[in-house]
Amino acid sequence: SFVLTQPPSVSVAPGQTATISCGGNNIGSKSVNWCQQKPGQAPVLVVYDDNDRPTGIPERFSGSNSGHTATLTISGVEAGDEADYYCQIWDSSDYHQVFGGGTKLTVL
Amino acid sequence: EVQLVDSGGGVVRPGESLRLSCAASGFIFEDHGMSWVRQAPGKGLEWVSGISWNGAIAAYADSVKGRFTISRDNAKNSLYLQMNSLRAEDTALYYCARDLSISARPLDYWGQGTLVTVSS
């Protein structure tokens, strides 16, 4: 089954740009979704289909996907963005959802 | 407003069974595939099972295949997960989640989770 690899942690200062990677074999041929999970809360979808945002998600959140790496970019990082972020793809070959291991974003 | 309310969790012994439920409201339930996703304490998200809008397709993670059964009742706007032969490693917070039903299949709404603890 498809494997998604994320860095365990990323740190960024407030106001700077955070980039979180998600690696997978030819992931650029798939559509990647990203969710945010704050402590004690259910996950929230922040980017879907590589670079679309659900209603209510700030434009600061964007995504890209090419080759073997998808990326979530958070511009102008705020303290409230501190959370775990998970990439996710739909593997249509076996009707499975696949999650990356998650990246903890720390705002310094 | 879309709402998913998970219930049915509890403390059970290894080998026992449990049935989780997810009550959906605020959207046309039969228009969407659904999934169960779990999170062990201090760990990441793990997809457990998914079901198509009409129940014709059901899929499982290898870790639960043959022990768990997903089902849905569109007339009752409800999703279920029957969990048999539970193991200590099944201990987790279980979330139901809605599939946005586009090609990317993002999970756009999640329940609050229901805690399953398997311990002797």
Side-chain angles (χ1 to χ4, degrees):
Chain A
S1 60
F2 207 82
V3 176
L4 298 175
T5 302
Q6 298 182 237
S9 63
V10 167
S11 299
V12 64
Q16 299 303 303
T17 297
T19 58
I20 299 173
S21 63
C22 176
N25 187 26
N26 200 26
I27 195 175
S29 67
K30 299 187 178 294
S31 296
V32 178
N33 310 307
W34 293 87
C35 62
Q36 172 197 69
Q37 187 181 33
K38 296 181 180 179
Q41 297 183 21
V44 172
L45 182 68
V46 292
V47 167
Y48 67 94
D49 201 7
D50 293 341
N51 193 23
D52 284 329
R53 283 183 311 279
T55 302
I57 300 301
E59 292 183 9
R60 301 186 296 104
F61 289 83
S62 64
S64 62
N65 184 18
S66 179
H68 299 294
T69 305
T71 303
L72 175 68
T73 300
I74 309 171
S75 305
V77 167
E78 303 173 355
D81 297 331
E82 191 163 279
D84 293 326
Y85 291 85
Y86 296 88
C87 59
Q88 172 252 321
I89 62 110
W90 165 253
D91 189 342
S92 59
S93 66
D94 56 5
Y95 207 90
H96 277 52
Q97 299 278 6
V98 181
F99 287 96
T103 298
K104 180 176 180 58
L105 175 66
T106 299
V107 180
L108 300 171
Chain B
E1 178 192 6
V2 172
Q3 280 199 319
L4 298 171
V5 179
D6 305 315
S7 62
V11 180
V12 297
R13 298 187 185 281
E16 293 185 342
S17 299
L18 210 55
R19 189 195 196 206
L20 306 184
S21 298
C22 171
S25 61
F27 66 101
I28 302 173
F29 184 65
E30 65 185 14
D31 281 354
H32 294 267
M34 299 291 294
S35 281
W36 288 99
V37 178
R38 69 185 181 185
Q39 187 169 35
K43 302 297 184 181
L45 301 175
E46 178 190 15
W47 177 81
V48 172
S49 181
I51 190 167
S52 61
W53 67 274
N54 60 357
I57 301 173
Y60 303 90
D62 289 345
S63 57
V64 306
K65 196 175 297 183
R67 299 187 299 122
F68 290 11
T69 302
I70 191 171
S71 62
R72 64 188 296 160
D73 185 337
N74 287 344
K76 295 183 177 179
N77 291 339
S78 292
L79 176 73
Y80 306 102
L81 186 68
Q82 177 67 42
M83 303 186 297
N84 298 332
S85 302
L86 282 161
R87 306 167 179 169
E89 54 265 36
D90 295 319
T91 294
L93 187 61
Y94 285 72
Y95 297 100
C96 71
R98 187 183 85 162
D99 172 341
L100 186 53
S101 297
I102 59 174
S103 62
R105 299 292 183 110
L107 301 176
D108 66 339
Y109 283 94
W110 297 64
Q112 83 288 357
T114 185
L115 183 62
V116 173
T117 303
V118 184
S119 174
S120 55

PDB file of all heavy atoms in Angstrom, chain A residues 18-39:
ATOM      1  N   ALA A  18       6.003  28.556   7.114  1.00  0.00           N
ATOM      2  CA  ALA A  18       6.280  27.164   7.442  1.00  0.00           C
ATOM      3  C   ALA A  18       5.980  26.285   6.226  1.00  0.00           C
ATOM      4  O   ALA A  18       4.965  26.486   5.551  1.00  0.00           O
ATOM      5  CB  ALA A  18       5.413  26.709   8.617  1.00  0.00           C
ATOM      6  N   THR A  19       6.879  25.349   5.966  1.00  0.00           N
ATOM      7  CA  THR A  19       6.642  24.379   4.898  1.00  0.00           C
ATOM      8  C   THR A  19       6.745  22.984   5.488  1.00  0.00           C
ATOM      9  O   THR A  19       7.711  22.644   6.182  1.00  0.00           O
ATOM     10  CB  THR A  19       7.636  24.533   3.736  1.00  0.00           C
ATOM     11  OG1 THR A  19       8.959  24.385   4.229  1.00  0.00           O
ATOM     12  CG2 THR A  19       7.494  25.898   3.088  1.00  0.00           C
ATOM     13  N   ILE A  20       5.735  22.178   5.223  1.00  0.00           N
ATOM     14  CA  ILE A  20       5.679  20.806   5.716  1.00  0.00           C
ATOM     15  C   ILE A  20       5.597  19.886   4.507  1.00  0.00           C
ATOM     16  O   ILE A  20       4.693  20.018   3.681  1.00  0.00           O
ATOM     17  CB  ILE A  20       4.466  20.603   6.639  1.00  0.00           C
ATOM     18  CG1 ILE A  20       4.574  21.524   7.863  1.00  0.00           C
ATOM     19  CG2 ILE A  20       4.366  19.148   7.077  1.00  0.00           C
ATOM     20  CD1 ILE A  20       3.344  21.518   8.753  1.00  0.00           C
ATOM     21  N   SER A  21       6.534  18.959   4.414  1.00  0.00           N
ATOM     22  CA  SER A  21       6.598  18.082   3.250  1.00  0.00           C
ATOM     23  C   SER A  21       5.908  16.746   3.510  1.00  0.00           C
ATOM     24  O   SER A  21       5.740  16.309   4.657  1.00  0.00           O
ATOM     25  CB  SER A  21       8.052  17.828   2.856  1.00  0.00           C
ATOM     26  OG  SER A  21       8.733  17.150   3.903  1.00  0.00           O
ATOM     27  N   CYS A  22       5.527  16.112   2.414  1.00  0.00           N
ATOM     28  CA  CYS A  22       4.877  14.796   2.451  1.00  0.00           C
ATOM     29  C   CYS A  22       5.402  14.026   1.248  1.00  0.00           C
ATOM     30  O   CYS A  22       5.077  14.370   0.102  1.00  0.00           O
ATOM     31  CB  CYS A  22       3.368  14.967   2.381  1.00  0.00           C
ATOM     32  SG  CYS A  22       2.412  13.424   2.297  1.00  0.00           S
ATOM     33  N   GLY A  23       6.235  13.038   1.503  1.00  0.00           N
ATOM     34  CA  GLY A  23       6.862  12.297   0.424  1.00  0.00           C
ATOM     35  C   GLY A  23       6.163  10.984   0.136  1.00  0.00           C
ATOM     36  O   GLY A  23       5.687  10.304   1.043  1.00  0.00           O
ATOM     37  N   GLY A  24       6.123  10.649  -1.140  1.00  0.00           N
ATOM     38  CA  GLY A  24       5.533   9.384  -1.557  1.00  0.00           C
ATOM     39  C   GLY A  24       5.909   9.090  -2.989  1.00  0.00           C
ATOM     40  O   GLY A  24       6.153  10.018  -3.771  1.00  0.00           O
ATOM     41  N   ASN A  25       5.947   7.835  -3.348  1.00  0.00           N
ATOM     42  CA  ASN A  25       6.356   7.436  -4.688  1.00  0.00           C
ATOM     43  C   ASN A  25       5.407   8.014  -5.745  1.00  0.00           C
ATOM     44  O   ASN A  25       4.232   7.643  -5.810  1.00  0.00           O
ATOM     45  CB  ASN A  25       6.376   5.911  -4.772  1.00  0.00           C
ATOM     46  CG  ASN A  25       6.951   5.413  -6.093  1.00  0.00           C
ATOM     47  OD1 ASN A  25       7.751   6.111  -6.725  1.00  0.00           O
ATOM     48  ND2 ASN A  25       6.529   4.243  -6.522  1.00  0.00           N
ATOM     49  N   ASN A  26       5.918   8.951  -6.538  1.00  0.00           N
ATOM     50  CA  ASN A  26       5.124   9.594  -7.592  1.00  0.00           C
ATOM     51  C   ASN A  26       3.833  10.198  -7.038  1.00  0.00           C
ATOM     52  O   ASN A  26       2.774  10.148  -7.684  1.00  0.00           O
ATOM     53  CB  ASN A  26       4.810   8.599  -8.709  1.00  0.00           C
ATOM     54  CG  ASN A  26       4.438   9.260 -10.008  1.00  0.00           C
ATOM     55  OD1 ASN A  26       4.838  10.387 -10.287  1.00  0.00           O
ATOM     56  ND2 ASN A  26       3.636   8.569 -10.811  1.00  0.00           N
ATOM     57  N   ILE A  27       3.942  10.804  -5.870  1.00  0.00           N
ATOM     58  CA  ILE A  27       2.756  11.393  -5.225  1.00  0.00           C
ATOM     59  C   ILE A  27       2.134  12.477  -6.093  1.00  0.00           C
ATOM     60  O   ILE A  27       0.949  12.790  -5.978  1.00  0.00           O
ATOM     61  CB  ILE A  27       3.106  11.929  -3.817  1.00  0.00           C
ATOM     62  CG1 ILE A  27       1.839  12.195  -3.008  1.00  0.00           C
ATOM     63  CG2 ILE A  27       3.987  13.166  -3.920  1.00  0.00           C
ATOM     64  CD1 ILE A  27       2.111  12.603  -1.574  1.00  0.00           C
ATOM     65  N   GLY A  28       2.933  13.047  -6.992  1.00  0.00           N
ATOM     66  CA  GLY A  28       2.421  14.091  -7.871  1.00  0.00           C
ATOM     67  C   GLY A  28       1.291  13.616  -8.774  1.00  0.00           C
ATOM     68  O   GLY A  28       0.531  14.434  -9.304  1.00  0.00           O
ATOM     69  N   SER A  29       1.150  12.313  -8.926  1.00  0.00           N
ATOM     70  CA  SER A  29       0.081  11.763  -9.753  1.00  0.00           C
ATOM     71  C   SER A  29      -1.220  11.577  -8.974  1.00  0.00           C
ATOM     72  O   SER A  29      -2.237  11.178  -9.529  1.00  0.00           O
ATOM     73  CB  SER A  29       0.501  10.405 -10.323  1.00  0.00           C
ATOM     74  OG  SER A  29       0.632   9.451  -9.292  1.00  0.00           O
ATOM     75  N   LYS A  30      -1.166  11.879  -7.686  1.00  0.00           N
ATOM     76  CA  LYS A  30      -2.345  11.738  -6.821  1.00  0.00           C
ATOM     77  C   LYS A  30      -2.775  13.102  -6.282  1.00  0.00           C
ATOM     78  O   LYS A  30      -2.026  14.071  -6.347  1.00  0.00           O
ATOM     79  CB  LYS A  30      -2.025  10.791  -5.662  1.00  0.00           C
ATOM     80  CG  LYS A  30      -1.647   9.385  -6.101  1.00  0.00           C
ATOM     81  CD  LYS A  30      -1.502   8.448  -4.958  1.00  0.00           C
ATOM     82  CE  LYS A  30      -1.162   7.035  -5.425  1.00  0.00           C
ATOM     83  NZ  LYS A  30      -2.287   6.442  -6.184  1.00  0.00           N
ATOM     84  N   SER A  31      -3.969  13.155  -5.746  1.00  0.00           N
ATOM     85  CA  SER A  31      -4.470  14.368  -5.102  1.00  0.00           C
ATOM     86  C   SER A  31      -4.209  14.258  -3.603  1.00  0.00           C
ATOM     87  O   SER A  31      -4.553  13.250  -2.980  1.00  0.00           O
ATOM     88  CB  SER A  31      -5.968  14.534  -5.349  1.00  0.00           C
ATOM     89  OG  SER A  31      -6.237  14.719  -6.717  1.00  0.00           O
ATOM     90  N   VAL A  32      -3.622  15.295  -3.031  1.00  0.00           N
ATOM     91  CA  VAL A  32      -3.215  15.256  -1.625  1.00  0.00           C
ATOM     92  C   VAL A  32      -4.090  16.197  -0.796  1.00  0.00           C
ATOM     93  O   VAL A  32      -4.398  17.322  -1.212  1.00  0.00           O
ATOM     94  CB  VAL A  32      -1.734  15.643  -1.479  1.00  0.00           C
ATOM     95  CG1 VAL A  32      -1.332  15.657   0.007  1.00  0.00           C
ATOM     96  CG2 VAL A  32      -0.857  14.663  -2.248  1.00  0.00           C
ATOM     97  N   ASN A  33      -4.459  15.710   0.350  1.00  0.00           N
ATOM     98  CA  ASN A  33      -5.242  16.499   1.302  1.00  0.00           C
ATOM     99  C   ASN A  33      -4.422  16.686   2.578  1.00  0.00           C
ATOM    100  O   ASN A  33      -3.564  15.854   2.900  1.00  0.00           O
ATOM    101  CB  ASN A  33      -6.551  15.770   1.639  1.00  0.00           C
ATOM    102  CG  ASN A  33      -7.298  15.331   0.392  1.00  0.00           C
ATOM    103  OD1 ASN A  33      -7.574  16.117  -0.501  1.00  0.00           O
ATOM    104  ND2 ASN A  33      -7.611  14.038   0.337  1.00  0.00           N
ATOM    105  N   TRP A  34      -4.702  17.754   3.302  1.00  0.00           N
ATOM    106  CA  TRP A  34      -4.004  18.053   4.553  1.00  0.00           C
ATOM    107  C   TRP A  34      -5.013  18.372   5.657  1.00  0.00           C
ATOM    108  O   TRP A  34      -5.972  19.109   5.429  1.00  0.00           O
ATOM    109  CB  TRP A  34      -3.087  19.253   4.379  1.00  0.00           C
ATOM    110  CG  TRP A  34      -1.929  19.049   3.465  1.00  0.00           C
ATOM    111  CD1 TRP A  34      -1.904  19.231   2.109  1.00  0.00           C
ATOM    112  CD2 TRP A  34      -0.612  18.628   3.829  1.00  0.00           C
ATOM    113  NE1 TRP A  34      -0.653  18.946   1.613  1.00  0.00           N
ATOM    114  CE2 TRP A  34       0.160  18.578   2.646  1.00  0.00           C
ATOM    115  CE3 TRP A  34       0.009  18.284   5.039  1.00  0.00           C
ATOM    116  CZ2 TRP A  34       1.507  18.209   2.630  1.00  0.00           C
ATOM    117  CZ3 TRP A  34       1.345  17.920   5.037  1.00  0.00           C
ATOM    118  CH2 TRP A  34       2.074  17.882   3.845  1.00  0.00           C
ATOM    119  N   CYS A  35      -4.765  17.830   6.840  1.00  0.00           N
ATOM    120  CA  CYS A  35      -5.608  18.204   7.971  1.00  0.00           C
ATOM    121  C   CYS A  35      -4.742  18.670   9.138  1.00  0.00           C
ATOM    122  O   CYS A  35      -3.563  18.315   9.242  1.00  0.00           O
ATOM    123  CB  CYS A  35      -6.539  17.068   8.395  1.00  0.00           C
ATOM    124  SG  CYS A  35      -5.738  15.586   8.967  1.00  0.00           S
ATOM    125  N   GLN A  36      -5.348  19.481   9.956  1.00  0.00           N
ATOM    126  CA  GLN A  36      -4.708  20.077  11.131  1.00  0.00           C
ATOM    127  C   GLN A  36      -5.375  19.509  12.373  1.00  0.00           C
ATOM    128  O   GLN A  36      -6.598  19.423  12.419  1.00  0.00           O
ATOM    129  CB  GLN A  36      -4.899  21.597  11.090  1.00  0.00           C
ATOM    130  CG  GLN A  36      -4.451  22.355  12.323  1.00  0.00           C
ATOM    131  CD  GLN A  36      -5.064  23.753  12.356  1.00  0.00           C
ATOM    132  OE1 GLN A  36      -6.261  23.920  12.535  1.00  0.00           O
ATOM    133  NE2 GLN A  36      -4.229  24.763  12.178  1.00  0.00           N
ATOM    134  N   GLN A  37      -4.585  19.128  13.361  1.00  0.00           N
ATOM    135  CA  GLN A  37      -5.152  18.640  14.612  1.00  0.00           C
ATOM    136  C   GLN A  37      -4.487  19.329  15.791  1.00  0.00           C
ATOM    137  O   GLN A  37      -3.279  19.167  16.009  1.00  0.00           O
ATOM    138  CB  GLN A  37      -5.010  17.127  14.750  1.00  0.00           C
ATOM    139  CG  GLN A  37      -5.745  16.578  15.960  1.00  0.00           C
ATOM    140  CD  GLN A  37      -5.599  15.085  16.127  1.00  0.00           C
ATOM    141  OE1 GLN A  37      -4.564  14.506  15.787  1.00  0.00           O
ATOM    142  NE2 GLN A  37      -6.642  14.437  16.641  1.00  0.00           N
ATOM    143  N   LYS A  38      -5.274  20.075  16.525  1.00  0.00           N
ATOM    144  CA  LYS A  38      -4.781  20.714  17.742  1.00  0.00           C
ATOM    145  C   LYS A  38      -5.023  19.775  18.926  1.00  0.00           C
ATOM    146  O   LYS A  38      -5.909  18.910  18.860  1.00  0.00           O
ATOM    147  CB  LYS A  38      -5.471  22.061  17.946  1.00  0.00           C
ATOM    148  CG  LYS A  38      -5.142  23.052  16.837  1.00  0.00           C
ATOM    149  CD  LYS A  38      -5.803  24.395  17.038  1.00  0.00           C
ATOM    150  CE  LYS A  38      -5.434  25.345  15.903  1.00  0.00           C
ATOM    151  NZ  LYS A  38      -6.071  26.670  16.047  1.00  0.00           N
ATOM    152  N   PRO A  39      -4.248  19.936  19.990  1.00  0.00           N
ATOM    153  CA  PRO A  39      -4.359  19.010  21.136  1.00  0.00           C
ATOM    154  C   PRO A  39      -5.780  18.911  21.670  1.00  0.00           C
ATOM    155  O   PRO A  39      -6.448  19.924  21.887  1.00  0.00           O
ATOM    156  CB  PRO A  39      -3.420  19.641  22.169  1.00  0.00           C
ATOM    157  CG  PRO A  39      -2.414  20.381  21.357  1.00  0.00           C
ATOM    158  CD  PRO A  39      -3.168  20.916  20.177  1.00  0.00           C
TER     159      PRO A  39
END
